[in-house]
């Protein structure tokens, strides 16, 4: 198994007993609607990921299939194989699919109910709350297991309106936004935090979606499950909590959707609630239409940058590139073109040195350099 590293720490995490998990992602692993599974394979603080279920790409290494780098997590064809591979019934079955409608198909229900019958706790990140489903509730009671609906919001009395406390947060805040949904914002934010910590700059991630919460992020809220009135306030509340709880040098805020997107508008709440001094924009030059909306052409990265800077009192400090549908030569050309056109650094966090992410931040916030140097010397 690979070592999973906490986002806010330089030390490998020690996962508690009873945290083994199988991720169910039939037909979607490596695809946009499999982003929860994709994220858990790349990074998990809370669960030891034993295998991924997807019969369409079974009997391959999940890391190699996803990123070209083996990580020892196999892709298996069904839940029975996953149990055999584990040598016992794993503790959790995580629903790793994330369709736009947030609903389970009849076939997916059967697999999750099978997991419950085997004695596995269910982690569900969909909009469909299985804890309210009579069949799932009855099955979980009979098996003595729990169902966690990650997107279930807190009671209204526990939600927060915007207060202005964000102005008391003294460290830089960087939001990772994008030009589309499921384009790699969470992955880039995770890698950025890891890279900064690896270089001696204390960084913490504030998540805004269900996957980051499932991964074990300490600060976050599933924004797309909230009444819009509380979205900005909940983002602010999580950023303030991260600042007060961690005393970081930098706070990185995960983006959702895109400010220009016709359906996913949570980027507006992220910008208003976190008040970032800087934004990194994730873009896929090889993507021609929006992922879940093929009738809509992709915006240009230049238009998204202009929109963000017009909408919020912030600046775009760099572009991170999703290399889907690009050869390495095309990727290099796209990076060069972006840097020439926009005058900001660009990189691909998955295929280029992660130190380039750190350089992007230090170029925008040179005051962080003395802290890095003093910690290295110390």
């Amino acid at each position: 198994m690979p070592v999973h590293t906490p986002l806010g720490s330089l030390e490998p995490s020690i996962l508690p007993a009873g945290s083994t998990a199988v991720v169910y992602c039939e037909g979607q692993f490596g695809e946009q609607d499999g982003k929860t599974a994709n994220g858990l394979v790349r990074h998990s603080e809370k669960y030891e990921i034993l295998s991924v279920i997807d019969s369409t790409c079974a009997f391959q290494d999940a890391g190699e299939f996803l990123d070209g780098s083996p990580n020892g997590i196999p892709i298996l064809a069904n839940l029975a194989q996953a149990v055999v591979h584990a040598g016992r019934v794993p503790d959790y079955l995580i629903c790793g699919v994330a369709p736009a409608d947030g609903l389970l198909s009849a076939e997916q229900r059967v697999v999750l109910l099978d997991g419950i019958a085997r004695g596995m706790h269910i982690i569900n990140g969909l909009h469909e709350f299985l804890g309210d489903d009579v069949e799932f509730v009855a099955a979980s009671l009979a098996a003595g297991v729990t169902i966690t609906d990650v997107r279930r919001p807190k009671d209204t009395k526990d939600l927060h309106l915007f207060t202005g406390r964000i102005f008391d947060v003294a460290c830089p805040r960087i939001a990772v936004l994008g030009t589309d949904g499921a384009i790699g914002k969470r992955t880039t934010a995770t890698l950025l935090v890891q890279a900064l910590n690896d270089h001696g700059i204390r960084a913490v991630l504030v998540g805004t979606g269900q996957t980051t919460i499932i991964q074990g992020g300490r600060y976050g809220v599933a924004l797309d499950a909230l009444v819009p009135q509380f979205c900005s306030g909940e983002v602010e509340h999580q950023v303030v909590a991260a600042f007060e709880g961690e005393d970081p040098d930098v706070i990185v805020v995960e983006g959702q959707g895109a400010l220009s997107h016709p359906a996913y508008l949570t980027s507006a709440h992220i910008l208003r609630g976190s008040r970032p001094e800087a934004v990194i924009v994730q873009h896929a030059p090889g993507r021609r239409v929006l992922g879940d909306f093929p009738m809509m052409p992709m915006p240009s990265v230049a238009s998204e940058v202009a929109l963000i800077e017009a909408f919020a009192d912030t600046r775009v400090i760099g572009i991170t590139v999703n290399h889907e549908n690009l050869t390495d030569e095309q990727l290099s050309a796209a990076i060069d073109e972006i840097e020439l056109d926009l005058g900001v650094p660009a990189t691909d966090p998955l295929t280029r040195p992660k130190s380039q992410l750190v350089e992007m931040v230090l170029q925008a916030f040179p005051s962080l350099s003395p802290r890095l140097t003093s910690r290295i010397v110390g």
Side-chain angles (χ1 to χ4, degrees), residues 99-154:
D101 61 10
L103 301 175
L104 284 176
S105 68
E107 294 79 8
Q108 291 166 342
R109 288 177 64 89
V110 169
V111 176
L112 296 185
L113 286 167
D114 182 19
I116 290 175
R118 293 173 184 269
M120 301 175 73
H121 303 282
I122 300 297
I123 305 296
N124 169 42
L126 300 178
H127 286 299
E128 181 178 8
F129 297 153
L130 301 184
D132 295 338
D133 186 294
V134 173
E135 185 177 16
F136 274 89
V137 171
S140 65
L141 288 173
V145 300
T146 60
I147 297 173
T148 302
D149 291 311
V150 178
R151 266 183 166 137
R152 187 187 294 277
K154 295 179 290 187

Side-chain angles (χ1 to χ4, degrees), residues 25 43 53 56 61 73 85 158 176 195 215 217 233 244 265 267 293-294 327 335 351-352 371:
C25 195
H43 175 84
I53 298 173
T56 65
D61 181 276
I73 300 174
H85 170 264
D158 297 321
V176 180
Q215 287 174 317
E244 294 179 345
L265 304 179
S267 288
F293 299 84
T327 65
I335 290 172
T351 66
R352 300 301 190 259
R371 303 183 193 185

Side-chain angles (χ1 to χ4, degrees), residues 309-320:
E309 293 185 339
F311 180 81
D313 181 18
T314 191
R315 56 183 173 135
V316 172
I317 63 169
I319 309 298
T320 46

Side-chain angles (χ1 to χ4, degrees), residues 19-97:
S19 63
T20 57
V22 171
V23 182
Y24 174 67
C25 195
E26 178 61 29
Q28 297 298 329
F29 186 60
E31 303 295 330
Q32 291 184 37
D33 284 355
K35 63 180 182 179
T36 296
N38 303 342
L40 286 165
V41 163
R42 288 177 172 135
H43 175 84
S44 178
E45 298 177 46
K46 192 171 184 179
Y47 303 103
E48 179 186 358
I49 306 302
L50 301 182
S51 61
V52 175
I53 298 173
D54 186 348
S55 64
T56 65
C57 51
F59 313 116
Q60 301 184 64
D61 181 276
E64 186 168 9
F65 180 83
L66 196 61
D67 297 319
S69 179
N71 64 3
I73 300 174
I75 308 171
L76 301 173
N78 53 52
L79 183 56
Q81 289 182 3
V83 172
V84 170
H85 170 264
R88 64 179 181 86
V89 176
D91 302 301
Y92 292 90
L93 179 58
I94 302 175
C95 184
V97 294

